[in-house]
Amino acid sequence: MSNFAIIGSVAANYHFWDFPREANDLDIIAPDDVVLPGAEKHWYPALQAVLDRTGRNGVATPETLYTIKFSHAFWNVQWDKTIFDLLYFQEKGIELDEELYTILYKLWIEVHGEKQMSLEMDSKAFFNEYVVRKYDHDSLHASVAYYDQPLYE
């Protein structure tokens, strides 16, 4: 276990030679007493769960990187980059750490508020007038339902 965890594109490049993004900065998770000059440090006590999963080399595992990204994908925090990275990790077969996900998701609710997207609304409210539709969205759900139950439920 390390007292800091290197995350972000530096960690992804460490694990994957073909990671498609160069590192622009050094992101770390570390408590307040850890100083790493030049690093962009992130810390909330709940992030101790990340440190508990980081080995002595201080680089977060691919599973931890994927879980961090997945846990905050519901909020618009560099969303395009987040989705791009999630797809990359999924293509590599990286699996979600469900226990860590639960911890981090609760943290992001505290930090960013309740998630911004809800699937519990009608299609007119979900898709505003700026979305051009060729087909009625709800009819697509009915077409691929499991008996009377839409698959998304």
Side-chain angles (χ1 to χ4, degrees), residues 50-119:
V50 172
L51 299 184
D52 294 344
R53 289 163 168 76
T54 302
R56 292 192 177 274
N57 68 357
V59 180
T61 67
E63 291 76 20
T64 299
L65 295 173
Y66 176 63
T67 302
I68 291 169
K69 288 284 184 180
F70 194 87
S71 71
H72 67 72
F74 298 97
W75 292 270
N76 189 9
V77 180
Q78 299 181 338
W79 197 82
D80 290 339
K81 186 170 80 168
T82 297
I83 296 305
F84 181 83
D85 291 353
L86 285 173
L87 292 172
Y88 176 84
F89 290 132
Q90 288 171 353
E91 287 175 5
K92 293 292 185 183
I94 306 304
E95 295 189 13
L96 187 72
D97 178 334
E98 292 186 30
E99 181 182 359
L100 180 60
Y101 169 79
T102 300
I103 293 166
L104 294 177
Y105 185 81
K106 288 177 185 176
L107 170 63
W108 304 139
I109 288 174
E110 290 177 28
V111 172
H112 302 295
E114 290 291 327
K115 71 179 181 176
Q116 298 171 346
M117 187 183 311
S118 172
L119 299 177

Side-chain angles (χ1 to χ4, degrees), residues 11-54:
N13 279 287
Y14 174 85
H15 291 293
F16 302 104
W17 66 269
D18 63 341
F19 189 71
R21 259 187 319 104
E22 295 281 327
N24 294 327
D25 57 3
L26 174 62
D27 290 299
I28 66 166
I29 292 174
D32 293 335
D33 62 336
V34 174
V35 177
L36 217 66
E40 185 174 335
K41 186 164 70 167
H42 309 276
W43 184 248
Y44 297 96
L47 293 176
Q48 181 64 45
V50 172
L51 299 184
D52 294 344
R53 289 163 168 76
T54 302

Side-chain angles (χ1 to χ4, degrees), residues 119-120 138-153:
L119 299 177
E120 300 298 323
D138 288 336
S139 71
L140 298 174
H141 286 296
S143 297
V144 295
Y146 181 73
Y147 296 98
D148 291 336
Q149 192 75 16
L151 287 177
Y152 72 88
E153 292 179 358

Side-chain angles (χ1 to χ4, degrees), residues 128-142:
N128 61 32
E129 69 272 12
Y130 301 110
V131 176
V132 178
R133 292 182 293 277
K134 185 172 181 178
Y135 303 101
D136 175 60
H137 182 81
D138 288 336
S139 71
L140 298 174
H141 286 296

